[in-house]
Structures are given as structure tokens and as C-alpha cells.
Amino acid sequence: PGMVGFTPRVVDGKLTVASLARTGGLELYNLTAKVDERVFRGDTVTSVNGKTKVEDMQKELASGKECDVEVKQGGRLEVHLKRVEGVPLGLGLEQTFPEEDARFDEVHDQIYLKVKEIKQTGLVPCYNCDHPEKAVTPQHYIVEVNGERVDTTKMLNSIKNGTEWSFVFRHLNL
């Protein structure tokens, strides 16, 4: 991923963030940015050093020099929930490698939390009823839980043991 901290990939004629490095400019940015300002896999690169054509942006990123990158966020959903005694979360989750989908990254050691199903009862189904325009669906991946966005074991522990959750979901169909 180099100095900028991400690997670009062309998807449907657009330059996207295919994978994030654990070091580099983007990781440093994401560590201090608010959740709604962070860059995630699947976001669209709109400009690199003022260049907007895909080929020109790729050349700028490959040049090895410092880059000013503008990104359009997409497919992100934030959900904040509080535990209610006796009420389940209402999500069926699985740890998965979504490498078969070209819209996600090529770094196959990265595991994701995929929403496998929405249960009939629970906090998430209630959230979905109250927010149908922002419903969590089985096409979503959890990319962050309470600030944790890399270690899925820590994310799962936070889900299991938490009393409040700040989820960031990404939709598969970016």
C-alpha cells in the first residue's frame, strides 16, 4: 500500500480504496478522525494531487511522492444501541474473508464480521423498524464496533460484553 496507506483498485471505472495498510498516512489520519470522517475500504478516490482521471490518479499514487487525496465516502451506516436486559442483539454474524467480491480488498488475512441474518426479535430488528431507510441487512459487514476496527476478536468481545454499542456497517453493494 505504500506511503499513502491504501491499495487502490479500479471498480466499475472508479478508483476505490481496496485495502488499508496498518501503517501510512491514511492509518494516521483514521486514528484521529471522527468516525463519520474516516476512510474505509470501498470508498471512492475522487482526486489525487488535483488529478481526477483514474489513470492520472493511479500515476500520482504510484509516484512515491506525497499525495493530497480526496475521497467520497459511501455505503456506510452508523448505528448506536444500548443493551436492554433480556433482549438479544438480534444479529447472526460470521467471521469471513469476502475476497470473492472484487469490491473488497485483496488482503486475505483480514477477517470481517458479516451480518449473516437479522433475527425476528432483538435490538437490531427494533432499530430497523424505527429506521427503515437505514436498515441493517444481511448485505452489511461490521467494520467497527466501539472504535475497534481491525481485530474481529476484540469486536466480538465488545459485542458480547458491551452495554452500549457504536457500530459502523458497510454495505456489500458499494
Side-chain angles (χ1 to χ4, degrees):
M3 280 179 41
V4 292
F6 72 93
T7 301
R9 175 189 281 164
V10 179
V11 177
D12 298 329
K14 297 177 183 175
L15 193 63
T16 63
V17 176
S19 67
L20 301 173
R22 299 193 198 285
T23 60
L26 185 55
E27 178 63 14
L28 293 174
Y29 170 80
N30 277 345
L31 285 172
T32 59
K34 295 177 183 175
V35 171
D36 62 337
E37 296 173 351
R38 291 180 186 158
V39 176
F40 288 88
R41 288 174 289 279
D43 286 346
T44 302
V45 179
T46 58
S47 169
V48 179
N49 295 337
K51 312 278 189 207
T52 57
K53 290 185 179 179
V54 170
E55 301 81 21
D56 295 338
M57 291 189 291
Q58 288 174 309
K59 287 178 187 174
E60 289 292 315
L61 291 170
S63 71
K65 58 185 177 180
E66 189 172 312
C67 293
D68 179 28
V69 179
E70 293 183 23
V71 174
K72 178 184 174 195
Q73 300 171 338
R76 183 172 313 154
L77 172 64
E78 290 182 51
V79 176
H80 305 282
L81 299 171
K82 289 184 180 185
R83 183 179 299 278
V84 176
E85 190 65 37
V87 178
L89 190 57
L91 283 179
L93 300 174
E94 68 179 345
Q95 290 180 307
T96 185
F97 298 92
E99 69 268 9
E100 67 278 356
D101 191 305
R103 292 167 288 207
F104 278 85
D105 67 40
E106 296 174 317
V107 181
H108 300 304
D109 65 343
Q110 177 66 52
I111 300 173
Y112 300 88
L113 292 178
K114 182 175 193 238
V115 176
K116 189 175 180 179
E117 68 175 315
I118 306 296
K119 309 277 181 159
Q120 292 292 324
T121 60
L123 296 174
V124 173
C126 287
Y127 168 87
N128 283 350
C129 287
D130 292 342
H131 304 88
E133 73 289 352
K134 297 180 182 179
V136 177
T137 70
Q139 288 77 37
H140 280 104
Y141 284 83
I142 298 175
V143 296
E144 186 170 317
V145 180
N146 296 342
E148 179 59 52
R149 64 183 192 285
V150 176
D151 187 331
T152 56
T153 301
K154 288 181 181 176
M155 291 166 67
L156 286 169
N157 284 336
S158 183
I159 292 168
K160 180 180 176 183
N161 300 318
T163 57
E164 291 187 37
W165 303 279
S166 291
F167 290 103
V168 178
F169 295 90
R170 290 301 303 261
H171 199 277
L172 183 63
N173 299 321
L174 301 174

